[in-house]
Amino acid sequence: MTQRNKPLQIPAQKFIEAEACWNLQQLYADLTAAKQEYATSRKQQLTPLEKTYLRGLLCNYSPSEIAVALHRKCTGIRVDLSRGLYRYIEVLTLQQPKDWKEIPSMLEIYGYKQNSSGETLHSTLINSAQTPQFSIENRTEWGLGVDTSIFYGRTTELANLRQWILQENSRLVAILGMSGIGKTALASKLINMIKDQFECLIWLNLSHAPLLAYTLGNLIECLSDRPLSDLEKLRLVSNYKKNFFQAPLEFSLDSLIASTNAIETTIIAEAIQRLIHCLQKHRCLIILDGWEAVFCTGQLTGNYRKGYEVYGELLKQVGELQHQSCLMLTSCEKPKEIAALEGQNQSVRSFKLGSLGQAAVEIFKNKGLSEEGQYSELIEAYSGNPLALKIVTTTINDMFGGSIANFLRNGPLLGDYSDTLSRQFHRLSGLEIKLLHSIAKEVKPVGCENLYSNIQQDRDSELLKALESLLRRSLIETVQAESETLFALQPAIKKYLMSVARLPKL
């Protein structure tokens, strides 16, 4: 018998010290169910070797250290983990582990690590959710924005936002604008100015589109003195228990999200109410950065991804109910809930961030561009977008010897900024893209009648809805004429459309 085919002798009870801190039996059972889901076979069981690997990882042993303990080759163990245990954990948590070091913390979040009393968070979650307690004395900041040690202009914008939040006690504030315009930087600068007026500051990045239950879990954990295991875990675990063995052969994330929302609607509603209670009890500032990630792509703006509709309910509750806190979000797309609630109601406000204006001159000076007479033309060519200007100033230095005039003679070049625009255009519907191309072909701003004719669209509400969606995405601008409203593109977007984007077949 060759060494390769020789049966593996697993040392009895290896890494058994994991039992002292982890609920292994529950974890074995849930990972077995996850393995059956991954393998589309109910006969699959977690093998003794896989249990041994798991215990080793939970004890913070690396694959190479596990290999030494088991007298095996490290490469073989790494292959086993990547093809097996890592995949089962991904099915269980809906998160892909990047390496072995993440496994213990991921499973701890999902409640499999025992607390000091010997109970698991999994078993105590419902009790903690039903008994809210509040104490955020000496609470520190949780989550951080971007570095704003170098910050340009925006004094008027900062003053307006500061007044809304501190003087007018706005409960819900949205900072809106196209990609690269500086929404996150503005929010970071603002909170550094006003954070001392709040008992608690929480910054969450939504770019990875977490389920609302996960977001609520993070918020409530931070605001409560009694830690609450994240609510997404409760949703997933309860769904696995109720529906795992009726699952289809193919694993579908969309269907799982939809089913968990249907099952746990009451839990989410109660969690939102608990969060509101926190915001009523204490003065908190919450920033949700990158809200557009919870919207679906390929449709008009404001439509939530499947299973994410409850984010809209969160905005409604925060905007309508009385509390002393503020939820601020940044987004490339305006949520319809904010559009419906803002206006005379000072509790809900939105701010559309535009050109950096002459403050962009500081970017050029810091980059060593000396042709001051060309500054305004360069700012106009990129609509004062800070990210675009930072990118092109590097191009000007690298390719044109620092000469703005030589750069402009070659026409506005997008460079790496086209990647940013590409990600935003990927979110558009077919009609929106068609409209943008139609506007881009016009020398001057264009009205609805011409757009109907150019794209051969019936005179119905669909075109108007698409135009409104483009406005809410900050991709077009309105120009008031004597008898009608006209629509125009920013120069950089027009350049992108004419030289990079392609009109899809509808």
Side-chain angles (χ1 to χ4, degrees):
M1 181 179 293
T2 65
Q3 180 67 27
R4 181 175 180 179
N5 295 326
K6 184 178 180 180
L8 176 66
Q9 300 297 321
I10 303 175
Q13 300 297 300
K14 196 66 179 176
F15 309 124
I16 200 62
E17 60 268 27
E19 283 189 347
C21 299
W22 297 86
N23 185 350
L24 291 180
Q25 297 309 310
Q26 183 68 56
L27 189 50
Y28 291 157
D30 291 349
L31 283 175
T32 295
K35 181 177 182 179
Q36 292 171 353
E37 177 75 8
Y38 179 73
T40 67
S41 172
R42 297 183 184 178
K43 295 181 180 180
Q44 292 283 358
Q45 298 293 317
L46 209 63
T47 67
L49 182 57
E50 288 171 332
K51 293 179 180 179
T52 302
Y53 288 162
L54 176 63
R55 292 196 301 270
L57 294 172
L58 295 178
C59 292
N60 293 310
Y61 284 91
S62 68
S64 58
E65 291 170 331
I66 294 174
V68 171
L70 299 182
H71 307 291
R72 298 196 71 196
K73 291 184 177 180
C74 182
T75 54
I77 288 183
R78 290 185 186 278
V79 170
D80 288 347
L81 288 171
S82 63
R83 292 179 178 177
L85 194 59
Y86 289 171
R87 302 289 76 79
Y88 316 150
I89 292 173
E90 182 179 352
V91 171
L92 179 64
T93 66
L94 290 186
Q95 298 180 64
Q96 184 176 5
K98 296 178 181 178
D99 57 42
W100 66 271
K101 295 178 182 179
E102 293 188 351
I103 300 299
S105 59
M106 287 174 62
L107 294 177
E108 180 177 359
I109 288 174
Y110 275 75
Y112 294 101
K113 192 169 185 179
Q114 298 180 145
N115 59 26
S116 58
S117 66
E119 294 183 82
T120 63
L121 290 174
H122 173 77
S123 65
T124 61
L125 177 61
I126 295 179
N127 289 334
S128 65
Q130 293 176 343
T131 313
Q133 298 181 17
F134 303 89
S135 176
I136 54 176
E137 295 179 3
N138 302 318
R139 184 72 73 181
T140 58
E141 301 171 16
W142 192 71
L144 298 173
V146 299
D147 180 16
T148 56
S149 56
I150 299 177
F151 187 82
Y152 305 103
R154 303 297 193 198
T155 54
T156 300
E157 293 90 336
L158 287 168
N160 286 338
L161 291 167
R162 183 187 180 104
Q163 178 176 335
W164 290 351
I165 296 173
L166 297 185
Q167 273 73 53
E168 299 178 11
N169 297 316
S170 295
R171 298 189 289 262
L172 180 59
V173 174
I175 301 176
L176 309 170
M178 67 178 300
S179 297
I181 201 66
K183 302 180 295 295
T184 299
L186 179 64
S188 297
K189 187 68 174 179
L190 177 68
I191 63 174
N192 286 331
M193 295 169 58
I194 66 174
K195 62 184 180 182
D196 292 341
Q197 303 297 315
F198 294 86
E199 297 175 61
C200 186
L201 168 66
I202 307 173
W203 181 292
L204 289 180
N205 189 325
L206 302 185
S207 61
H208 59 297
L211 293 173
L212 179 60
Y214 181 83
T215 300
L216 288 172
N218 281 331
L219 293 174
I220 295 171
E221 277 187 319
C222 188
L223 297 175
S224 174
D225 68 339
R226 183 174 180 178
L228 174 66
S229 182
D230 68 77
L231 299 178
E232 182 181 358
K233 181 201 71 175
L234 178 59
R235 287 156 53 98
L236 294 174
V237 170
S238 64
N239 183 64
Y240 278 125
K241 285 186 174 181
K242 296 175 183 177
N243 297 317
F244 212 103
F245 295 104
Q246 289 118 21
L249 292 181
E250 290 187 6
F251 174 74
S252 169
L253 177 58
D254 283 345
S255 62
L256 177 58
I257 291 174
S259 62
T260 52
N261 269 288
I263 295 170
E264 307 298 344
T265 301
T266 301
I267 294 176
I268 293 298
E270 290 177 353
I272 292 176
Q273 289 304 307
R274 180 173 178 185
L275 175 62
I276 297 297
H277 192 182
C278 293
L279 302 183
Q280 292 170 338
K281 188 73 174 179
H282 298 280
R283 184 156 168 76
C284 310
L285 178 59
I286 298 172
I287 301 91
L288 300 181
D289 189 26
W291 183 272
E292 69 274 3
V294 303
F295 290 138
C296 61
T297 60
Q299 298 184 28
L300 300 183
T301 187
N303 292 305
Y304 289 93
R305 295 169 58 171
K306 194 174 191 178
Y308 289 78
E309 298 86 353
V310 282
Y311 268 98
E313 184 62 25
L314 172 64
L315 291 187
K316 289 178 60 179
Q317 297 284 343
V318 171
E320 292 178 343
L321 298 180
Q322 290 286 342
H323 58 81
Q324 59 173 326
S325 301
C326 178
L327 171 62
M328 181 166 60
L329 62 90
T330 71
S331 179
C332 293
E333 305 176 17
K334 189 174 188 177
K336 56 187 176 183
E337 292 80 13
I338 288 180
L341 292 173
E342 69 179 341
Q344 297 301 319
N345 180 3
Q346 294 183 340
S347 297
V348 180
R349 310 294 289 263
S350 70
F351 193 99
K352 184 176 180 179
L353 202 56
S355 170
L356 190 57
Q358 288 303 306
V361 168
E362 295 302 316
I363 296 176
F364 307 148
K365 291 181 177 180
N366 288 340
K367 291 282 188 174
L369 302 183
S370 58
E371 297 174 308
E372 295 185 7
Q374 304 292 330
Y375 284 172
S376 294
E377 188 175 352
L378 187 59
I379 293 171
E380 183 179 354
Y382 293 91
S383 304
N385 187 296
L387 177 61
L389 292 173
K390 290 174 184 178
I391 290 173
V392 300
T393 50
T394 299
T395 301
I396 292 170
N397 279 323
D398 292 346
M399 296 182 60
F400 298 92
S403 173
I404 299 175
N406 288 341
F407 171 78
L408 290 174
R409 274 195 290 272
N410 286 273
L413 302 177
L414 296 176
D416 292 339
Y417 183 58
S418 62
D419 295 334
T420 300
L421 289 178
S422 178
R423 288 191 292 271
Q424 188 163 358
F425 273 74
H426 175 69
R427 306 184 61 82
L428 305 181
S429 68
L431 181 55
E432 287 176 296
I433 295 176
K434 201 170 183 179
L435 279 170
L436 288 176
H437 275 269
S438 180
I439 298 173
K441 293 175 183 177
E442 301 290 336
V443 176
K444 298 180 179 180
V446 60
C448 287
E449 286 300 317
N450 285 341
L451 289 175
Y452 281 125
S453 175
N454 291 346
I455 65 175
Q456 298 178 350
Q457 178 78 17
D458 292 335
R459 284 169 171 75
D460 56 23
S461 61
E462 294 306 310
L463 184 138
L464 295 178
K465 289 179 181 177
L467 285 172
E468 183 180 34
S469 180
L470 289 171
L471 281 170
R472 290 185 179 181
R473 296 184 197 269
S474 302
L475 291 178
I476 62 174
E477 299 173 342
T478 58
V479 178
Q480 295 301 323
E482 291 183 3
S483 58
E484 63 176 331
T485 298
L486 306 178
F487 301 94
L489 294 178
Q490 297 176 6
I493 295 179
K494 188 169 186 177
K495 177 71 175 179
Y496 174 82
L497 284 164
M498 300 303 291
S499 62
V500 180
R502 294 293 180 266
L503 185 64
K505 294 181 180 180
L506 298 179

